[in-house]
């Protein structure tokens, strides 16, 4: 400590020599000549003092000292007066036109698809909400951090560049003065101060010494205080670092976690303080421990405390600069000038460049602040942004190389700023013209990729590092940014520099042309699959860049021709080896071709040909501009060598064909994957499509016969078409057939695929429309699926929205699923079966769908090609392929082989393709003949096809023959179509003069129609016959069924489990008169029971349910629930050791709900099943879905999660003798009944207490009278106890123990006195929950119960009756006395709760179920007879109902205006008088003057839920049929039906009048209870009736409002604004910080995340959350279970968007949200989670505990 004091004294000395106040200090600086020296001197004294404690600093105090002693003086010095006043003044002047907000990771950004120049132009939340784009087609995305809001940047937006806040000339910002009133002196001061501040920041940030400061900062004597500093890297995980720190520093877990979190956030942290040696030792320890875990040791340094202090302050000074610059454009400009000024005489670059170059060596926290400095200065001033960009490009190569070898994320690297500069169109142009940035980027690429070049100078990415290549992609992205907007004006310089860049880019493509060549494996399988992903990934990255280069070239004809020439040269350079190889001659049909000897199946082949494909792209663009004619000026014909150009793409297509023919299967999966991507939508534009175009170029420039010979040769099919092939080898035949099919298909594409602008006369829209039509021909698809299957351009647009409405209609979704597009009928004519973007499966699916559809419409099944658009002039010669000799030969051969019965060298698919080619030829000729006179049409397909050849039959005759072959039934329609087409063309050819032609044409059409109509009629007749036949069969089946049901009637009435609905009951009992539809009292109706025979789902055996039989059980789940709570978030006892659950709070905060899925098993079968599940789970390795300790299992049938079983106990029929009942009615009034009960209780008390004071009997008239003694209760009728089988008793005990265990969260204990209490509680709560659900859905009480609810309630009530018998009766009596003490005050004891603080329905259920225990005696087991029971039930119910009415009236809410009801009804008068009566007793605690009608309406509304629950309870307890009105949905009749069923008068106040003498003393006692008076005084906690129905919180309609809320969310526990995962609780609306260490809690010694902790309190462990930034709903239960669920937000296409991947605007779907609400209210959350986990079993699931 002495040392500390000495330091304190020293500190005082230093401070004393400096001027005391900020003003004085500023003045003192003014006198100094050199501000820089004075400033450094000042800092040298103060900074080490202020930042003395690095390990656990007092942040507030530090901040205060810095403000006081450094920043305020600086501000005084800058402004020359009070800075606060100045800054306030500046604030009111010029609002920026640029927003410039820098995005943090996880923030939501918005882009406008209508107005943004490119997708990188984004707005922050606030600007978006205040801009015009809010009503456009916008997209939402989550920022990865480091971006910048483009509001106010005129170059970023086509319209609406400003939001309301940044609009220039807004009220309050005067245009002229927006330059801000900075006077000359302030500007002069700024020029003096800023350079010094910046220099200090830069010097300190890039300071490398560990022990020494720069000399000008060393003015004090040096202390020996060092820090061991640990730096962040991306190699080590959190846990690695924590482990290393714990071992090396020997510290607690919590401390190590704290350090690690800080390192992750800031990038570095001092973990030890002490002398140099001690810190050095700690450094070595940390390094060695971390090396044990990962190859890289952690980065640790030992720094002197003064260096740490200065570096920390330099960053703080950076933040201060940020603040100052935000006030004025002048400040920003002075700052930028200072940063760009190079020091005279020093070879160092300017300050900002030094910072940039040092960036990769800096730690996270420093980088962030420096990047913010750049954002708030350079990027806010356009001219300086340009200068900064030039500096950036100057050092581009070095920066990128450092980034590639660095391991920090891209978002915190200086290279990530490229997007801010390169995407600005004017700036990009400037950088191309002045610095040739395209060449710089491409050269950078060539310089960072040489390690991947092989000896042929081609790339080979075997054994690549994913991280490193991922960093190279960033460079490729920069190229995309530069090219993203095409120039409109071309200067000579721009043209020159662009061509220079293009040549440089061709160098990269040259290294890719033919890279990663492969050879077919023969004999044995390849051992290791080669790495193919890198090459394909680079291809994907380059796809849009290649397209953009082609677009740039096509801006200008001259440029395009020069680029074409360069590209052609490059292709030729790559093809030298091919040109020098040996040649062979192929001869066929009198044609011969000299070609290089090369076989794809034996020689090397590569799928990567970007050069050839770029050339194809440029050729198409030439054709579009019509400049092909000028090509010879640039590339002479002899140099052109079209065979060479075609060669490589052709090889590629042959490779694909051979892969399909399974010739390459020994080459493993990597080749299959490459072929998949080659044709996949992500790559095909620059791979597969361009290869087809290249072949079309070849076909247009070569002799058609020679071209086909080349194709046959490369497909290795020349022999297959020679007549000589005779092989019996089935594999070889199959291989040949596949290859022929593939080749024919490619020929179809070459001739028929013209939907490329430049190849055919089509527009981009038509191309997109055709893609969509063919996708929707497969099946109706949702919007996202269509979009996913369309290629995206550089702006991520597919052009889908502009055209889809022309070809398809949108069908909205229901409550689940998504909306789909269906094709319009008129678009079906464009369906082409051989569409070149179909995969094999899509092709067969589309064909099947279209044939099926045509069948349904009674049309023929022919699917001929639609008439194709015309070729552009440059490609017009391609059609000559169709009518050349070799094509005819190929077609004839295919047809002949099909007719030849011995031949197996054909398939139906091959025939179909041949038909398709024929159809294309005929269509082409027909189109040409219709356009031009016959003599001008040289295309003579018809003649060639129908010409009689001496050696062979012509094609027409062959078709006729094919028509007769039975196996080809499916192709008949197509053949007919072709023959008709031959006919049509023939007529068009033969028309000698117009007149004849027209008539014959008409006739031919007529003939066509006649044959067509005949066919149609025939079809119709067949279809009708088939329909009649079907009808007949159906009628026969129906008759058989009826007959069967009649003969086996018994089986159908008794064996359908769960069919005991009212309909069944009415049939099986004598006509039930209305009088007997009463459940309580002497008029009680008969119990409707019937023989129940159920089938066990496990052993499939049937058994009748009887008391004496072995038990049958229902699978069930008991869970804690807060679905009805009136007090959400009420503190919960995590363990119920001390709870007394006899009474339920009126707020129903936590209940125990029992639900069943309604499936029945034998108890024995269930036990076996459960043991088997336990056994199998012990042998399993993966995470268990359920907790076997808690008895959980999945229902064997429906896979619902269950944790117990309910025994099924039959209802005991109880007949009521009406005479006895009437006699008893005279004897047993309510008063006498109460007396009898009290006497019985009092008698028990005397027995138990043996002489203690009995409970005083309160009614004086009976005290001395022996009429009411201990036994009098038995006089009204008893019967002997029911005897249950042992099996049933065991199950009863098992189920009761489960309820106890889950309800109280305690270990099971079947002897605990609280077991029966929980049984009654779950009966009551389950009934209330089901009643609430039915009310919520507006369904009738009995008519709409689901089977599972019906069976569950029935089993639950009968179980509760039986459960009493398994307990000691004394215990039940004790509970009963406590329950009755609530309504009978003379049983009152200390623990009797106040009448208002309990739920009376729970009391009713408990009292009714426990009441028979009063009949118990030591000597005999008795229970009340039916008559006794009916009275017990009636009086208990009436008493408790009166108490409930009293509850409702005391808590009436006087503040609510209800609609005026007729003033003077009888009920209203009774209400008024009764209310006055109780007002007197409560001595003025409740209000006067409430109108009677209001009281009556409140009472009726308030009591209805209780009556509905009571009706359900008594119905399932007694089995009396309820009145008809309760089965239908009539709100009016419901109330009176409830009253009649429950033996109540409809004017409930008549109850009080009827029993007034008995009830009045009770009322007085209730009212004068001091607890009740107190309760009434606390107005806020009173529960009012009816209780309000819970629903999920209100969500905004527009999802961006939720995102807005989340963006303002600050984690309550952490000060940093790093990425958080805000999660919204849908029960209570709380926003929580999820999956973050800062908000974890400890529960029972385990760490749980914020959501799980919240769920424990908010939903008793069950909860629904919405992850706001991901738009996902999460259901959780307990500590370790959860699942995702579709969010209720949909885009305009009816689809959800988890993770905001698509980013379309989302709106709330009320139906989906309602469905989610019902999942909760039906207590199905646990079930959903179990089902989801069952279907998505993962070996390592998500750690739900830390959510």
């Amino acid at each position: 400590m002495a040392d500390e004091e000495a330091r304190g004294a020293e500190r005082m000395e230093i401070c004393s020599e400096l001027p005391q106040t900020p003003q004085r200090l500023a003045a003192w600086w003014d006198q100094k000549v050199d501000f820089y020296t004075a400033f450094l001197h000042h800092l040298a004294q103060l900074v080490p003092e202020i930042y003395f404690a690095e390990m656990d600093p007092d942040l507030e105090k530090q901040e205060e000292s810095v403000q006081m002693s450094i920043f305020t003086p600086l501000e005084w010095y800058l402004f020359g007066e009070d800075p606060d006043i100045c800054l306030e003044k500046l604030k009111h002047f010029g609002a920026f036109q640029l927003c410039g907000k820098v995005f943090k990771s996880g923030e939501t950004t918005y882009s406008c698809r209508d107005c943004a120049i490119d997708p990188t132009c984004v707005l922050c939340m606030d600007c978006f909400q205040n801009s015009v784009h809010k009503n456009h087609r916008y997209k939402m995305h989550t920022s990865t951090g480091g971006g910048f809001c483009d509001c106010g940047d005129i170059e970023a937006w086509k319209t609406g560049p400003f939001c309301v806040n940044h609009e220039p000339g807004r009220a309050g910002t005067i245009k002229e003065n927006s330059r801000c009133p900075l006077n000359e002196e302030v500007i002069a001061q700024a020029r003096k101060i800023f350079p010094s501040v910046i220099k200090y920041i830069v010097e300190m940030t890039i300071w490398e010494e560990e022990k020494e400061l720069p000399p000008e900062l060393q003015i004090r004597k040096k202390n020996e205080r060092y820090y061991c500093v640990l730096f962040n890297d991306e190699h080590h995980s959190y846990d690695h670092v924590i482990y290393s720190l714990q071992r090396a520093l020997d510290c607690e877990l919590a401390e190590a976690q704290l350090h690690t979190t800080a390192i992750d956030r800031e990038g570095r942290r001092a973990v030890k303080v002490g002398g140099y040696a001690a810190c050095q030792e700690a450094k070595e320890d940390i390094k060695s421990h971390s090396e044990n875990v990962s190859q890289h040791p952690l980065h640790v340094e030992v720094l002197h405390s003064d260096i740490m202090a200065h570096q920390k302050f330099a960053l703080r000074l950076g933040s201060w600069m940020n603040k100052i610059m935000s006030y004025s454009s002048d400040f920003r400009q002075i700052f930028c000038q200072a940063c760009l000024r190079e020091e005279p005489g020093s070879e160092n670059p300017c300050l900002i460049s030094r910072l940039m170059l040092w960036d990769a060596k800096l730690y996270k926290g420093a980088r962030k602040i420096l990047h913010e400095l750049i954002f708030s200065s350079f990027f806010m001033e356009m001219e300086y942004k340009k200068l900064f960009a030039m500096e950036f490009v100057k050092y581009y190569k070095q920066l990128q190389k450092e980034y590639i070898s660095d391991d920090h994320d891209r978002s915190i690297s200086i290279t990530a700023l490229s997007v801010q500069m390169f995407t600005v169109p004017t700036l990009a142009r400037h950088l191309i013209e002045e610095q040739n940035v395209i060449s710089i980027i491409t050269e950078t690429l060539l310089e960072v990729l040489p390690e991947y070049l092989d000896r042929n100078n081609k790339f080979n990415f075997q054994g690549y590092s994913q991280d490193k290549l991922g960093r190279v992609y960033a460079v490729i992205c920069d190229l995309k940014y530069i090219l993203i907007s095409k120039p409109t004006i071309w200067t000579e310089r721009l043209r020159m520099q662009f061509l220079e860049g293009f040549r440089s880019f061709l160098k990269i493509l040259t290294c890719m042309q033919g890279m990663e060549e492969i050879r077919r494996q023969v004999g044995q399988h390849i051992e290791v699959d080669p790495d193919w992903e890198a090459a394909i990934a680079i291809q994907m990255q380059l796809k849009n860049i290649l397209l953009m280069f082609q677009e740039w070239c096509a801006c200008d004809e001259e440029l395009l021709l020069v680029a074409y020439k360069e590209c052609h040269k490059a292709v030729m350079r790559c093809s030298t080896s091919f040109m020098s190889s040996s040649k062979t001659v192929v001869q066929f049909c009198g044609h011969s071709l000299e070609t290089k000897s090369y076989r794809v199946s034996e020689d090397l082949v590569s799928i990567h040909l970007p050069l050839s494909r770029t050339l194809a792209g440029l050729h198409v663009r030439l054709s579009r501009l019509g400049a092909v004619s000028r090509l010879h000026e640039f590339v002479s014909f002899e140099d052109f060598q079209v065979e060479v150009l075609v060669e490589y793409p052709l090889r590629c297509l042959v490779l694909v064909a051979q892969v399909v023919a399974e010739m390459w299967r020994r080459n493993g999966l990597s080749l299959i994957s490459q072929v998949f991507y080659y044709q996949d939508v992500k790559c095909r534009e620059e791979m597969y499509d361009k290869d087809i175009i290249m072949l079309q170029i070849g076909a247009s420039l070569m002799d058609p016969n020679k071209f086909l010979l080349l194709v046959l040769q490369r497909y290795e099919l020349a022999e297959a078409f020679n007549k000589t092939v005779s092989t019996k080898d089935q594999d070889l035949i199959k291989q040949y057939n596949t290859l022929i099919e593939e080749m024919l298909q490619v020929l179809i594409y070459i001739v028929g695929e013209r939907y490329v602008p430049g190849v055919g006369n089509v527009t981009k829209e038509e191309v997109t429309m055709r893609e969509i039509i063919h996708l929707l021909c497969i099946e109706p698809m949702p919007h996202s699926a269509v979009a996913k299957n369309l290629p995206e351009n550089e702006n991520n647009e597919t052009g889908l929205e502009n055209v889809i409405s022309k070809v398809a209609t949108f069908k909205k979704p229901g409550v689940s699923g998504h909306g789909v597009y269906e094709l319009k009928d008129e678009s079906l004519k464009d369906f082409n079966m051989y569409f070149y973007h179909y995969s094999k499966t899509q092709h067969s699916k589309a064909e099947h769908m279209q044939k099926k559809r045509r069948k349904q419409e009674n049309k023929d099944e022919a699917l001929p090609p639609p008439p194709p658009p015309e070729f552009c002039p440059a490609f017009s010669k391609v059609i000559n392929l169709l009518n050349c000799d070799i094509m005819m030969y190929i077609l004839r051969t295919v047809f002949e082989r099909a007719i030849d019965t011995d031949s197996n060298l054909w398939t139906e698919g091959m025939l179909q393709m041949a038909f398709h080619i024929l159809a294309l030829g005929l269509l082409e000729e027909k189109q040409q003949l219709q356009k031009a006179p016959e003599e001008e049409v040289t295309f003579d397909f018809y003649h060639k096809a129908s010409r009689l050849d001496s050696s062979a039959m012509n094609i027409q005759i062959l078709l006729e023959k094919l028509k007769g072959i039975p196996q080809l039934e499916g192709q008949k329609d197509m053949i007919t179509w072709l023959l008709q087409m031959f006919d049509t063309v023939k007529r068009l050819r033969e028309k000698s003069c117009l007149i004849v032609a027209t008539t014959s044409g008409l006739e031919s059409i007529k003939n066509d129609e006649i044959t067509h109509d005949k066919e149609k009629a025939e079809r119709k007749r067949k279809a009708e016959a088939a329909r009649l036949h079907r009808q007949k069969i159906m009628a026969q089946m129906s008759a058989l069924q009826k007959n069967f049901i009649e003969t086996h009637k018994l089986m159908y009435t008794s064996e359908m489990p769960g069919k005991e609905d009212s309909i069944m009951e009415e049939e099986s009992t004598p006509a039930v008169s209305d009088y007997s539809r009463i459940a309580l009292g002497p008029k009680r109706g008969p119990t409707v029971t019937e023989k129940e025979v159920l089938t066990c789902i496990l052993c499939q055996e049937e058994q009748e349910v009887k008391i004496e039989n072995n038990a049958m059980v229902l699978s069930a789940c008991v869970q804690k629930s807060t679905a009805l709570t009136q007090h959400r978030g009420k503190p919960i006892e995590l363990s119920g050791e001390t709870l007394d659950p006899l009474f339920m709070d009126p707020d129903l905060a936590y209940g125990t709900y029992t639900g069943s899925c309604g499936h029945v098993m034998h108890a024995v079968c269930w036990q076996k099943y459960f043991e088997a599940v336990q056994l199998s789970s012990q042998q399993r390795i993966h995470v268990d879905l359920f907790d076997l300790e808690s008895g959980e299992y999945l229902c064997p049938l429906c896979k619902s999660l269950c944790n117990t079983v309910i025994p099924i106990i039959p209802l005991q029929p109880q007949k009521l003798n009406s005479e006895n009942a009437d006699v008893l009615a005279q004897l047993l009034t309510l008063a006498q009944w109460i007396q009898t009960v009290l006497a019985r209780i009092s008698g028990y008390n005397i027995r138990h207490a043996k002489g203690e004071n009995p409970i005083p009997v309160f009614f004086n008239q009976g005290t001395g009278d022996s009429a009411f003694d201990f036994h009098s209760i038995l006089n009204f009728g008893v019967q002997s106890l029911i005897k249950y089988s042992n099996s049933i008793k065991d199950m009863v005990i098992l189920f009761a123990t489960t309820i106890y265990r889950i309800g109280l969260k305690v270990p099971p204990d079947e002897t605990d006195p609280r077991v029966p209490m929980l049984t009654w509680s779950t009966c009551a709560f389950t009934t209330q929950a089901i009643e609430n659900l039915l009310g919520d859905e507006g369904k009738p009480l009995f008519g709409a119960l689901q089977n599972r609810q019906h069976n569950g309630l029935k089993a639950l009530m009968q179980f509760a009756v039986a459960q009493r018998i398994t307990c000691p009766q004394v215990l039940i009596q004790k509970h009963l006395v406590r329950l009755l003490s609530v309504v009978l005050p003379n049983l009152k004891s200390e623990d009797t709760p106040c009448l208002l603080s309990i739920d009376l329905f729970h009391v009713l259920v408990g009292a009714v179920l426990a009441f028979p225990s009063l009949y118990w005696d030591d000597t005999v087991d008795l229970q009340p007879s039916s008559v006794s029971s009916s009275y017990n039930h009636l009086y208990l119910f009436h008493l408790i109902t009166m108490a409930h009415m009293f509850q409702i009236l005391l808590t009436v809410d006087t503040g609510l205006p209800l609609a005026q009801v007729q003033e003077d009804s009888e009920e209203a008068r009774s209400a008024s008088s009764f209310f006055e009566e109780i007002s007197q007793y409560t001595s003025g605690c409740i209000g006067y003057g409430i109108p009677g009608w209001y009281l009556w309406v409140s009472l009726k509304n308030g009591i209805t839920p209780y009556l509905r629950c009571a009706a359900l309870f008594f119905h399932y307890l007694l089995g009396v049929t309820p009145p008809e009105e309760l089965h239908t949905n009539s709100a009016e009749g419901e109330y009176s039906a409830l009253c009649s069923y429950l033996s109540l008068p409809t004017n409930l106040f008549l109850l009080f009048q009827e029993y007034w003498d008995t009830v009045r003393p009770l009322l007085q006692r209730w009212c004068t209870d001091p607890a009740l008076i107190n309760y009434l005084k606390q107005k806020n906690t009173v529960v009012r009736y009816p209780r309000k129905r819970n629903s999920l919180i209100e969500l905004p309609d527009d999802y961006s409002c939720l995102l807005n809320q989340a963006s303002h969310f600050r984690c309550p526990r952490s000060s940093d604004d790093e990425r958080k995962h805000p999660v919204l609780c849908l029960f209570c609306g709380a926003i929580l910080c999820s999956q973050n260490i800062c908000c974890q809690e400890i529960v029972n010694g385990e760490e749980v995340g914020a959501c799980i902790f919240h769920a424990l309190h908010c939903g008793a462990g069950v909860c629904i959350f919405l992850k706001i930034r991901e738009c996902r709903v999460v259901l959780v239960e307990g500590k370790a279970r959860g699942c995702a669920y579709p969010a209720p937000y949909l885009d305009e296409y009816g689809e959800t968007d988890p993770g905001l991947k698509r980013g379309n605007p989302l709106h709330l779907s009320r139906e989906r949200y309602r469905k989610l609400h019902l999942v909760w209210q039906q207590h199905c959350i646990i079930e959903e989670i179990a089902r989801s986990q069952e279907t998505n079993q993962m070996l390592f699931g998500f750690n739900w505990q830390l959510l």
Side-chain angles (χ1 to χ4, degrees), residues 438-453:
I438 301 181
S439 299
I440 288 182
I441 298 175
T442 45
E443 281 162 23
T444 310
L445 266 177
L446 283 170
E447 284 175 31
V448 295
L449 287 172
E451 59 186 285
Y452 300 114
L453 287 175

Side-chain angles (χ1 to χ4, degrees), residues 398-443:
Q398 196 178 338
L399 292 174
Q400 285 294 3
K401 284 176 190 167
E402 283 176 357
Y403 162 66
I404 288 169
S405 50
D406 181 22
D407 76 334
H408 281 67
D409 288 341
R410 163 108 170 137
S411 60
I412 51 168
S413 159
I414 192 85
T415 56
L417 301 185
S418 60
V419 63
Q420 305 301 336
M421 299 167 278
F422 291 176
T423 53
V424 180
T426 50
L427 198 46
R429 243 133 290 109
H430 179 79
L431 294 174
I432 295 172
E433 287 185 2
E434 297 304 318
Q435 288 176 292
N436 201 348
V437 66
I438 301 181
S439 299
I440 288 182
I441 298 175
T442 45
E443 281 162 23

Side-chain angles (χ1 to χ4, degrees), residues 1207-1224:
I1208 301 175
I1209 301 170
L1211 195 62
Q1212 293 314 304
Q1214 305 196 335
K1215 290 281 178 283
L1216 211 60
N1217 184 331
S1218 51
E1219 289 122 42
N1220 290 359
D1222 294 343
V1223 173
L1224 203 54

Side-chain angles (χ1 to χ4, degrees), residues 398-643:
Q398 196 178 338
L399 292 174
Q400 285 294 3
K401 284 176 190 167
E402 283 176 357
Y403 162 66
I404 288 169
S405 50
D406 181 22
D407 76 334
H408 281 67
D409 288 341
R410 163 108 170 137
S411 60
I412 51 168
S413 159
I414 192 85
T415 56
L417 301 185
S418 60
V419 63
Q420 305 301 336
M421 299 167 278
F422 291 176
T423 53
V424 180
T426 50
L427 198 46
R429 243 133 290 109
H430 179 79
L431 294 174
I432 295 172
E433 287 185 2
E434 297 304 318
Q435 288 176 292
N436 201 348
V437 66
I438 301 181
S439 299
I440 288 182
I441 298 175
T442 45
E443 281 162 23
T444 310
L445 266 177
L446 283 170
E447 284 175 31
V448 295
L449 287 172
E451 59 186 285
Y452 300 114
L453 287 175
D454 60 13
R455 58 175 193 279
N456 298 330
N457 227 3
K458 302 286 179 205
F459 288 131
N460 194 337
F461 294 103
Q462 299 311 308
Y464 70 100
S465 125
Q466 194 152 8
D467 176 61
K468 205 148 182 206
L469 260 191
R471 290 169 183 272
V472 173
Y473 298 157
V475 186
I476 299 179
C477 263
D478 282 348
L479 197 50
K480 179 173 136 185
Y481 293 146
I482 277 287
L483 296 171
I484 210 157
S485 45
K486 280 192 312 214
T488 39
I489 305 156
W490 283 84
T491 60
E492 202 41 54
R493 180 151 178 83
L494 180 61
R495 191 178 277 136
M496 209 170 73
Q497 295 283 45
F498 171 71
L499 271 172
E500 192 53 46
F502 182 64
R503 282 189 199 101
S504 173
F505 180 63
L506 288 177
K507 284 183 202 157
I508 295 176
L509 298 189
T510 306
C511 296
M512 290 174 69
Q513 176 91 343
M515 65 176 171
E516 299 194 355
E517 289 184 310
I518 42 178
R519 186 175 302 230
R520 177 171 164 228
Q521 285 286 117
V522 188
Q524 71 184 74
H525 196 284
I526 193 168
E527 282 174 24
V528 183
D529 266 341
D531 288 327
W532 57 274
E533 295 92 339
I536 290 287
I538 283 203
Q539 190 72 49
M540 284 185 194
Q541 295 284 336
L542 284 177
K543 184 195 94 165
N544 279 326
I545 294 174
L546 288 162
L547 284 170
M548 289 191 294
F549 263 120
Q550 292 166 27
E551 285 295 322
W552 275 56
C553 294
C555 289
D556 177 277
E557 193 174 300
E558 288 296 317
L559 184 66
L560 182 56
L561 285 159
V562 176
Y564 191 98
K565 178 180 164 184
E566 293 292 335
C567 189
H568 184 271
K569 250 196 270 177
V571 175
M572 286 308 170
R573 274 201 298 273
C574 288
S575 314
T576 46
S577 62
F578 167 67
M579 299 193 295
S580 59
S581 57
S582 60
K583 305 192 172 185
T584 56
V585 176
V586 197
Q587 290 189 322
F588 216 80
C589 292
H591 295 275
S592 69
L593 168 77
E594 187 183 31
T595 163
K596 310 290 181 282
S597 47
Y598 171 90
R599 289 172 75 87
V600 175
S601 57
E602 291 166 14
D603 299 312
L604 287 165
V605 59
S606 163
I607 206 163
H608 299 284
L609 306 168
L611 271 180
S612 304
R613 291 163 188 157
T614 303
L615 189 67
L618 293 173
H619 194 96
V620 169
R621 284 175 171 75
L622 271 182
S623 155
R624 253 163 85 183
L625 290 178
V628 177
S629 52
R630 290 187 54 202
L631 190 55
H632 63 90
E633 300 170 23
F634 290 83
V635 183
S636 66
F637 200 73
E638 48 277 14
D639 292 346
F640 196 74
Q641 291 185 297
V642 69
E643 301 87 38

Side-chain angles (χ1 to χ4, degrees), residues 1382-1410:
V1382 176
V1383 286
L1384 297 176
N1386 41 332
L1387 293 174
K1388 201 166 178 183
S1389 59
E1390 309 79 73
D1391 58 358
T1392 302
C1394 142
L1395 190 58
L1396 290 183
S1397 66
I1398 51 171
D1399 174 59
L1400 281 173
F1401 180 66
H1402 276 70
V1403 173
L1404 171 72
V1405 172
V1408 167
L1409 290 171

Side-chain angles (χ1 to χ4, degrees), residues 1343-1384:
L1345 281 170
Q1346 294 172 6
N1347 231 334
R1348 52 192 273 179
Q1349 293 169 330
H1350 168 77
N1351 290 342
L1353 276 175
K1354 193 166 82 175
L1356 190 59
M1357 296 311 164
Q1358 296 312 313
F1359 147 77
V1361 172
Q1363 198 271 329
R1364 175 182 63 82
I1365 296 165
T1366 62
C1367 299
Q1369 297 303 303
V1370 181
L1371 177 67
I1372 303 280
Q1373 288 164 4
K1374 278 188 181 156
H1375 294 339
L1376 177 65
V1377 172
R1378 281 184 59 204
L1379 285 168
L1380 291 177
S1381 67
V1382 176
V1383 286
L1384 297 176

